[in-house]
Amino acid sequence: MITESDEDYGNLNKEKMEDSREPGARVYTFIDDNDERRDEIYYDKWWQKFCLRFHQPDSTPSWKPKWWTRFFPFPLFSTYRQSALKICFILFFLLTWGILYAELGEAIGLHGELLGMSLLVIAAYLIGWIWLKVTTLPALIGMLLTGILFQNFGLVTMTDEYRKLNQDLRKLALVIILTRAGLGLDAKVLKKHYAAVLQLGLLPWLVECIAIAVTTHYLLHLPWIWAFLLGSMIASVSPAVVVPCLFRLRDIGYGESKGIPTMVVAAAAIDDSVSVAVFAIILNAMFSSGSVTWNIIKGPLSIIAGVALGSLWGALISFIPESGDTHVVPLRFLLLFLGGLFSLFISSMIEWSGAGPLAIVSSGFVAAYYWKKQGWIVNKNPVSDLFRILWIFFEPILFAFTGAQVTISTLDPVVIKMGAVCLVSCLLIRAVATFLVSFGCGLNYKEKLFISLTWMAKATVQAALGPAALDLVHRSQTTGESNKREVYAETLLAVSVLSVMLSAPLGALLIAVTGPKLLTRDNGDNKVQSEVESMKPVAHNSSQL
């Protein structure tokens, strides 16, 4: 095991950044376990550079068996740490499959549906990883394509019994998405940039929601209520695409002086929360058996109830368990996660669907606010890390299962063509609206143009909510009306998948290409020092896991 002082670690990072500026070669510094000498290895061959797209060196000193380098040289193979992690995932799958097979029998046997669904998720994870390394575009696109391919090549089938499992897993993924959104909200940032965050989080969403509703009503012939249901879902921006791309720019100094990444993270959380809540309210009103007047009144009431109850729950779990408890991390995680599940399922059961999503976001925000007073960094604490790990498992589940709902042979070409026209035109309208509403946010023209071009990527909310209406239609009892609703619901699903396929790669590319051209870069030396200093509390918190 190799140890270094903090000063040496900072110098090592500076050396790597300076060496990496040399053209034509990638340089990594290694420490020999025996004599503590530093050997600089230059990877300048084409096959080495290609392998480095898939295999990165460990970010911190790591241990490996003495024979590992001889048989599995880097970068042709992964490092021992990364290989061991992949083996852990494989063992996890095999052990889980063995336990379930012992209990459930042929349902998860070689010809069972559960095994097919499990293989779909594993294939989606691997193909998504390869897609990310080869194209540098978000892995979720590869996962979505995997689900579509499995469904249309007959590699996976889902009966009604397992469709219910599919729905429940998507709800779990939605809880994780909303909880992470709440944990990512920093009260200090909201107080400092409240006008900018609200402008970016609400106004572009509202403009695109109305634009989608109008265009799909006239071009796809959806009833107004279905058109606004689609608009409330499509208008959401995906943090899963926007935030990692912005953070990669932030790590090399772009936009940090104006706090653009931090501002966008907060605005994305509000954007997602509003989108999910409004979608749930409209969907509940469409399929509810109550009076129209009561459904209209229930919408604002569910918003107030969700925020109030979620805030109370977040305040409670910030003091229970006690902050010095040995098991404070897993207890806080379980209380927050199970509380989110409870609020989502209960609100759906009592037909107050808008309250559940807002309660989840509010509980995460209030809990993070009080945890920060106790010394935990917002969105960089052990509970946030656990939700981040959980998302690694649920991301391929969400996108693979959403893709598996799409059967290409049943799609109407007119729906796809007109849907693409609606999406592209509304993305342009949103870009113009974002540019206009960003006045007064303290940004220059280039930064406003950057945000307007990148504040459009769709992914997580569309994947989680896209099949929701179709699920409810399948449970409908009225045959005549159910047929019409099924057509509308399938249109919603097709447009939601199409929105991810069009906007996610476009958003990621625009951020990568326009970021260095439109954003101001901070001083590099200050950036290196701040990064080294900021790693210390995070490493301390992560050790509690």
Side-chain angles (χ1 to χ4, degrees):
M1 182 68 183
I2 302 169
T3 58
E4 292 182 350
S5 67
D6 290 336
E7 182 179 359
D8 290 337
Y9 187 71
N11 293 333
L12 180 60
N13 273 278
K14 288 183 180 179
E15 290 172 12
K16 288 181 181 179
M17 292 188 70
E18 291 171 359
D19 290 341
S20 64
R21 294 170 188 164
E22 298 180 6
R26 296 195 185 189
V27 183
Y28 298 100
T29 303
F30 296 89
I31 300 177
D32 191 276
D33 288 335
N34 298 322
D35 57 10
E36 300 285 337
R37 291 180 303 175
R38 293 187 178 183
D39 301 318
E40 292 186 347
I41 302 177
Y42 291 80
Y43 297 117
D44 53 359
K45 294 185 172 62
W46 68 268
W47 64 269
Q48 291 175 330
K49 293 179 180 179
F50 180 76
C51 290
L52 285 170
R53 295 179 68 89
F54 300 90
H55 306 139
Q56 287 79 35
D58 296 330
S59 58
T60 57
S62 60
W63 175 89
K64 62 179 179 292
K66 294 181 179 180
W67 49 266
W68 182 264
T69 305
R70 181 182 305 172
F71 293 101
F72 305 102
F74 181 85
L76 190 59
F77 296 92
S78 299
T79 62
Y80 175 75
R81 174 186 291 174
Q82 296 170 24
S83 300
L85 180 62
K86 293 181 178 69
I87 293 171
C88 284
F89 280 115
I90 295 172
L91 291 175
F92 171 79
F93 166 72
L94 292 175
L95 290 171
T96 304
W97 178 80
I99 294 169
L100 292 174
Y101 181 74
E103 290 297 317
L104 302 178
E106 286 304 318
I108 199 169
L110 295 179
H111 300 289
E113 291 183 56
L114 283 176
L115 181 62
M117 293 168 66
S118 303
L119 293 176
L120 168 61
V121 173
I122 295 171
Y125 176 81
L126 294 175
I127 293 174
W129 178 78
I130 294 172
W131 176 276
L132 173 66
K133 298 301 180 182
V134 173
T135 67
T136 69
L137 295 175
L140 57 89
I141 302 172
M143 298 173 184
L144 191 67
L145 287 172
T146 305
I148 295 174
L149 290 175
F150 266 61
Q151 172 64 30
N152 290 275
F153 281 100
L155 300 177
V156 64
T157 56
M158 295 185 196
T159 59
D160 292 339
E161 180 182 355
Y162 291 102
R163 287 187 188 277
K164 180 64 169 63
L165 174 62
N166 187 347
Q167 297 168 25
D168 293 337
L169 289 173
R170 288 204 310 272
K171 288 180 180 179
L172 288 174
L174 184 60
V175 171
I176 297 169
I177 293 167
L178 294 174
T179 305
R180 293 185 67 192
L183 290 173
L185 284 172
D186 191 336
K188 184 178 179 181
V189 174
L190 289 177
K191 184 177 180 181
K192 183 179 179 181
H193 303 289
Y194 71 93
V197 169
L198 290 176
Q199 284 175 226
L200 291 175
L202 295 177
L203 296 181
W205 178 90
L206 181 61
V207 170
E208 188 177 8
C209 176
I210 296 174
I212 287 285
V214 172
T215 55
T216 55
H217 174 72
Y218 289 105
L219 295 180
L220 294 177
H221 308 293
L222 290 177
W224 280 113
I225 187 71
W226 283 90
F228 275 101
L229 181 69
L230 179 60
S232 66
M233 173 183 60
I234 296 296
S236 174
V237 171
S238 173
V241 177
V242 175
V243 173
C245 295
L246 282 175
F247 279 8
R248 280 196 290 270
L249 290 174
R250 184 195 65 178
D251 291 342
I252 56 177
Y254 287 106
E256 184 65 13
S257 60
K258 294 286 187 73
I260 291 176
T262 307
M263 189 190 310
V264 169
V265 169
I270 292 176
D271 179 281
D272 274 8
S273 307
V274 172
S275 184
V276 175
V278 173
F279 180 90
I281 291 171
I282 296 176
L283 189 66
N284 182 66
M286 290 170 58
F287 289 88
S288 175
S289 57
S291 66
V292 176
T293 304
W294 171 237
N295 286 328
I296 294 173
I297 297 173
K298 193 166 59 174
L301 289 178
S302 63
I303 293 174
I304 297 171
V307 172
L309 294 175
S311 300
L312 289 174
W313 183 250
L316 177 65
I317 61 178
S318 64
F319 299 106
I320 299 174
E322 193 268 330
S323 59
D325 193 291
T326 307
H327 306 292
V328 64
V329 173
L331 290 175
R332 283 179 171 178
F333 166 76
L334 288 173
L335 285 172
L336 194 58
F337 183 52
L338 295 177
L341 287 174
F342 177 81
S343 61
L344 188 68
F345 282 95
I346 289 296
S347 64
S348 178
M349 185 184 74
I350 64 175
E351 297 185 351
W352 282 56
S353 301
L358 290 176
I360 297 170
V361 177
S362 301
S363 62
F365 168 64
V366 173
Y369 171 76
Y370 285 107
W371 291 345
K372 185 178 182 181
K373 291 185 175 182
Q374 299 169 6
W376 281 11
I377 302 174
V378 173
N379 210 29
K380 290 185 179 179
N381 55 64
V383 174
S384 296
D385 290 339
L386 285 175
F387 277 101
R388 195 173 293 114
I389 293 169
L390 201 59
W391 178 243
I392 293 174
F393 292 97
F394 275 89
E395 185 181 23
I397 291 174
L398 175 62
F399 287 99
F401 284 177
T402 300
Q405 301 265 346
V406 178
T407 305
I408 295 177
S409 60
T410 62
L411 293 178
D412 186 352
V414 176
V415 170
I416 300 301
K417 182 173 66 175
M418 290 294 101
V421 171
C422 293
L423 290 171
V424 173
S425 59
C426 292
L427 285 177
L428 293 174
I429 293 172
R430 183 190 179 99
V432 173
T434 304
F435 182 82
L436 294 177
V437 302
S438 60
F439 282 88
C441 296
L443 305 174
N444 59 39
Y445 280 96
K446 287 186 176 181
E447 290 163 343
K448 293 172 186 174
L449 180 60
F450 171 77
I451 291 180
S452 66
L453 291 175
T454 57
W455 195 233
M456 60 176 65
K458 323 291 182 186
T460 45
V461 170
Q462 290 74 21
L465 301 181
L470 190 59
D471 294 337
L472 288 176
V473 168
H474 286 157
R475 282 188 262 164
S476 177
Q477 299 297 324
T478 308
T479 306
E481 181 150 358
S482 179
N483 290 335
K484 284 186 182 178
R485 287 183 168 184
E486 187 170 5
V487 173
Y488 299 147
E490 288 176 348
T491 301
L492 258 67
L493 176 60
V495 175
S496 66
V497 172
L498 188 62
S499 70
V500 178
M501 300 298 297
L502 290 177
S503 65
L506 178 63
L509 284 173
L510 286 174
I511 293 174
V513 172
T514 63
K517 299 180 185 298
L518 299 177
L519 297 180
T520 305
R521 188 172 187 177
D522 299 338
N523 185 287
D525 293 336
N526 294 337
K527 185 67 183 171
V528 171
Q529 185 63 28
S530 65
E531 283 181 350
V532 174
E533 303 240 335
S534 66
M535 289 176 67
K536 295 177 184 177
V538 177
H540 173 73
N541 285 337
S542 298
S543 66
Q544 299 180 40
L545 294 174

